[in-house]
Amino acid sequence: MRSQSGAKRSSARLFGSMTGIAAILAIVYWLIESYAHARFTGTPFIDNLFTKDLSLIGERFAFLVIMIAFAGFYVSAAWREKVKVDRVARADEIKGKVGEKLRDNLQQIPLSKQLATIHVNVPLKLKPEDLVPAPPDVVALKKLAEALEIRSLLRVVEETTGAAAEAPATEAKDVAEQPALITGEAGDDASAPPVRLPDPVTRHYETIFTAEQFAAWLILIENAELVAFDTETTSLNYMEAEIVGLSFGLAEGRAAYLPVAHRYVGAPEQLDRGVVLARLKPWLENADAQKVGHHLKYDAHVLANYGIRLAGMRYDSMLESYVLDSTATRHDMDSVARKYLGLDTIHFEDVAGKGAKQITFDQVSVEKAAEYAAEDADITLRLHHALWPKLEAIPGLTRLYDTIEQPLVPVLTRMEETGVLVDTRLLRAMSGEFAGKMAALEKEAHNEAGHPFNISSPKQLQEVLYNELKLPVTQYTPTKQPSTNEDALAELADQHRLPQLILDYRSLSKLKSTYTDKLPEQVCARTGRIHTSYHQAVAATGRLSSSDPNLQNIPIRTAEGRRIRQAFIPKPGCTLLAADYSQIELRIMAHLSEDEGLLKAFAEDRDVHQATAAEVFGVALEDVTTDQRRSAKAINFGLIYGMSAFGLARQLGIARDEAQKYVELYFARYPGVKAYMDRTRTQAREQGYVETVFGRRLYLPDIQARQQSRRQYAERSAINAPMQGTAADIIKKAMISVDHWLLQGSTGAEIIMQVHDELVLEVPTPVLAAVQQNVTRLMAAAADLRVPLKVDAGHGANWDEAH
DNA sequence: GTGGCGTCC
DNA sequence: CAGAGGGACGCCACT
């Protein structure tokens, strides 16, 4: 308060003096200007001083205004600076006071009490073990356990401290015996309006400020069977995030927030982050200490920034939600709590604001933060209690969770943390090259159009192509607008030069904006590498997705595009190894359909597209033409995606009835496939879901839809999901076993990327052969299907070469 | 924020 | 008779 009003006073003074100076300057200017004008025109000075010439007056007033504007600008800048200085002074003041207080306390109180006064700005040289008072304050601990109303934990406290059990004055109730929580009433009914957690009936949240409180909670945490755990940080970017606080949930409604790095003027004294983390480290790294979290991979990352390898990540409510129903669009805690608990949680934006005004979590008041963070841990535990029984009711899903999704978490964490090295110089050089070519193409395109226009605006392009040049419209967008997409432009290419120019421009523009410009920006300053994020709960089929940057859509199809891959390089002394499953989805189709012909083709390790062509076109294997093979390939992929004869015709540029003939021929030669497709559709209709080989479920509510387009969409998903999903399961299993093998040995090789059917590793060159052999072996052994899994592997000095 | 387009498997 | 290819992420223009 005091410093603020002081600042206001001094700013008023500053403003006053600046306006004064501005006024004086303006008057001086007026005098000089009058004198100069008098000399120039030979008129009397006094006439010029009090001139009636409006333009002259206007000019001088304009100058006055500019003067004052400058003064104002200066004042506001000075004001901001002043506020900053005041803030620092205030922080120093607090620091000094806390220091004094500490010195006083040193004389009178025990060490544990001293720690209570640690301010975040006062680093103390303390060892983590100093934080546990020895012996623990039994009375305080018992009080805490009683306050928590958790009898089992009270017992633990008593046993741990060796104190005689003494019945509390009022009998503490076990949580299980509590009156029905509001959560119990919500049940599965997602339509029930969410309710806020009532307070204090079902909640008892604490904020840990003192060493004694921390010591007490440590005993509780270290002895609990399962602890909900969450971190609060300064950033969503896991490589930059700093820990601001930690929260722990022990039972439903019983949670604590431990703030360690809230930094704002007037922030309460907090325990030191370094000391707290060092003391928690053994528990965090203990694989037997089971934790439940929501998106634990993130917490694992931020702890890794402090040298802590989070272990014991037994349950993740985000993944539980995903495994239970992967079709849900979102699996963030707010959505899942609303859906399964009927609870409306405090949102991050409620405490930190949103948009440009959003503050980082260390600026959030400890009171607000504690409420939010403790609730997070609490809700996580409640979610686990709600979701796990649902999962356990379906053995296939429990197995999927335990053997695939959960063990995959540390693998992904390691991959992301390792990151990928990219040659930024090469990318920048390519950007320059592309820019030159694009400028030339743009100029030509404007010439062809007869006037300049925004070449990358589909709307303007549509106007030019279809209204001005009167080219025929062949394709429409979903909103019934004439399309300017690749197919449409390609069809117009023989009628006019412009479409081809646009196509060339677009392809370069895409490469430049998405890859050669963006990738260098994404290099982490600390590691010099790119750290993507793999999302484990996004794709409905079970696939991973990647973002920031997306490393799963790096170009490969065109020669120009492939050059981007040349910028993905190993670190010195290493080689990139790329291993991918050959035709994995078709092999899965063979497995699922048990079609004899298809099984045989794979058993004999045939080129499956060639074999398909031979069957469909009735020619010998060696007589299959390139064109026939291409058609067969289109049929094969079309089948995987549930494509119709219409789509196939369009894809191949043939008549619809001809495409229909191919499809019929295919089904005649591979009757098992036809039967499987029918079976799958029926199953989807009857059960409402389809399954992968490993039990992953994909629910298809639209399979019963009245609206034909929705129903057909669901049917295509039903056909595609078991194949795409099984492939996803298989590579996930492979990642787990490859990672396991790498951890056992000492090759120094690391998995650095996954692209749906491909793994990329960075391998020390001397051990390349051994790693390649074992990675190939482990990937092929990831599943035991009716057909062998084939893995192709290559290596090189960049990702392009490795293929 | 939405639509159009384009990249990958 | 209309609509007729699964799953992602990201950039740009436009509102």
Side-chain angles (χ1 to χ4, degrees), chain A residues 274-459:
Chain A
V275 176
V276 163
L277 288 178
R279 181 58 188 82
L280 277 169
K281 187 172 175 164
W283 177 75
L284 290 167
E285 296 191 334
N286 181 359
D288 295 327
Q290 297 197 348
K291 292 111 189 158
V292 53
H294 197 89
H295 195 11
L296 276 170
K297 173 155 69 73
Y298 179 77
D299 302 283
H301 272 306
V302 298
L303 287 167
N305 291 342
Y306 296 86
I308 294 171
R309 320 292 329 181
L310 184 62
M313 299 185 264
R314 179 64 183 89
Y315 303 105
D316 189 320
S317 45
M318 181 181 77
L319 298 179
E320 288 173 359
S321 163
Y322 178 65
V323 168
L324 260 182
D325 181 10
S326 63
T327 47
T329 44
R330 308 187 63 198
H331 300 276
D332 60 286
M333 209 184 65
D334 292 348
S335 311
V336 183
R338 179 175 277 262
K339 178 173 173 184
Y340 291 99
L341 304 176
L343 288 178
D344 190 7
T345 56
I346 305 171
H347 313 293
F348 184 80
E349 288 181 352
D350 297 338
V351 294
K354 60 176 176 177
K357 283 199 216 155
Q358 192 168 71
I359 53 174
T360 49
F361 205 78
D362 55 342
Q363 305 288 315
V364 173
S365 80
V366 171
E367 296 79 47
K368 273 195 192 174
E371 189 78 358
Y372 167 81
E375 185 185 271
D376 265 13
D378 183 19
I379 295 284
T380 301
L381 195 60
R382 292 178 194 236
L383 276 177
H384 168 64
H385 289 161
L387 296 179
W388 190 249
K390 289 178 187 287
L391 220 64
E392 280 195 312
I394 306 165
L397 293 187
T398 315
R399 199 164 48 244
L400 182 74
Y401 182 90
D402 285 339
T403 62
I404 296 184
E405 299 300 353
Q406 192 223 336
L408 186 64
V409 173
V411 183
L412 294 177
T413 312
R414 272 187 281 279
M415 287 169 63
E416 292 175 347
E417 205 183 314
T418 305
V420 186
L421 189 62
V422 295
D423 185 342
T424 50
R425 275 186 55 190
L426 181 61
L427 289 171
R428 292 214 166 90
M430 288 170 65
S431 272
E433 183 191 328
F434 292 161
K437 289 186 181 171
M438 282 162 66
L441 285 167
E442 186 174 22
K443 207 171 145 199
E444 263 193 82
H446 291 172
N447 283 341
E448 289 295 329
H451 62 89
F453 65 102
N454 186 344
I455 190 164
S456 39
S457 162
K459 205 178 154 194

Side-chain angles (χ1 to χ4, degrees), chain A residues 48-293:
Chain A
N48 281 287
L49 191 60
F50 300 107
T51 181
K52 291 195 178 76
D53 180 342
L54 281 179
S55 71
L56 213 56
I57 292 173
E59 191 182 299
R60 290 176 190 180
F61 266 103
F63 185 77
L64 185 75
V65 168
I66 290 168
M67 224 51 179
I68 290 172
F70 268 110
F73 178 75
Y74 180 82
V75 168
S76 80
W79 162 252
R80 279 197 297 271
E81 181 59 24
K82 173 84 177 109
V83 167
K84 218 162 96 186
V85 171
D86 281 353
R87 191 176 290 166
V88 171
R90 172 81 182 129
D92 283 347
E93 195 185 323
I94 292 168
K95 224 153 116 178
K97 278 210 174 153
V98 173
E100 269 170 44
K101 203 165 152 195
L102 266 181
R103 272 194 300 282
D104 291 350
N105 289 350
L106 279 175
Q107 313 302 321
Q108 308 156 18
I109 58 171
L111 185 61
S112 62
K113 285 251 166 77
Q114 292 168 28
L115 287 163
T117 59
I118 298 173
H119 186 271
V120 64
N121 289 321
V122 186
L124 285 187
K125 294 221 168 88
L126 289 167
K127 294 195 209 90
E129 52 268 31
D130 293 340
L131 279 173
V132 182
D137 182 343
V138 180
V139 179
L141 290 181
K142 271 188 63 184
K143 247 182 172 163
L144 180 69
E146 282 168 34
L148 289 172
E149 294 181 37
I150 303 168
R151 200 194 284 153
S152 56
L153 288 170
L154 181 62
R155 226 173 11 247
V156 167
V157 171
E158 287 165 351
E159 281 165 16
T160 312
T161 59
E166 187 193 314
T170 52
E171 181 70 19
K173 281 175 275 184
D174 249 354
V175 168
E177 298 161 12
Q178 294 242 335
L181 296 176
I182 193 84
T183 61
E185 291 154 19
D188 284 347
D189 190 356
S191 62
V195 289
R196 284 220 53 80
L197 284 173
D199 210 22
V201 183
T202 60
R203 288 207 286 184
H204 183 102
Y205 295 164
E206 295 215 353
T207 310
I208 302 172
F209 287 111
T210 71
E212 284 162 317
Q213 288 172 320
F214 182 44
W217 273 88
L218 269 172
I219 293 177
L220 302 178
I221 290 163
E222 287 175 350
N223 288 285
E225 266 178 43
L226 178 67
V227 178
F229 174 68
D230 189 27
T231 54
E232 304 301 335
T233 69
T234 52
S235 167
L236 273 178
N237 177 332
Y238 62 83
M239 293 302 285
E240 288 172 4
E242 285 181 40
I243 295 181
V244 175
L246 307 106
S247 46
F248 307 93
L250 292 171
E252 293 193 6
R254 306 289 182 266
Y257 180 56
L258 169 50
V260 290
H262 287 262
R263 294 161 199 270
Y264 52 90
V265 178
E269 296 155 12
Q270 298 153 65
L271 292 174
D272 179 76
R273 178 168 61 200
V275 176
V276 163
L277 288 178
R279 181 58 188 82
L280 277 169
K281 187 172 175 164
W283 177 75
L284 290 167
E285 296 191 334
N286 181 359
D288 295 327
Q290 297 197 348
K291 292 111 189 158
V292 53

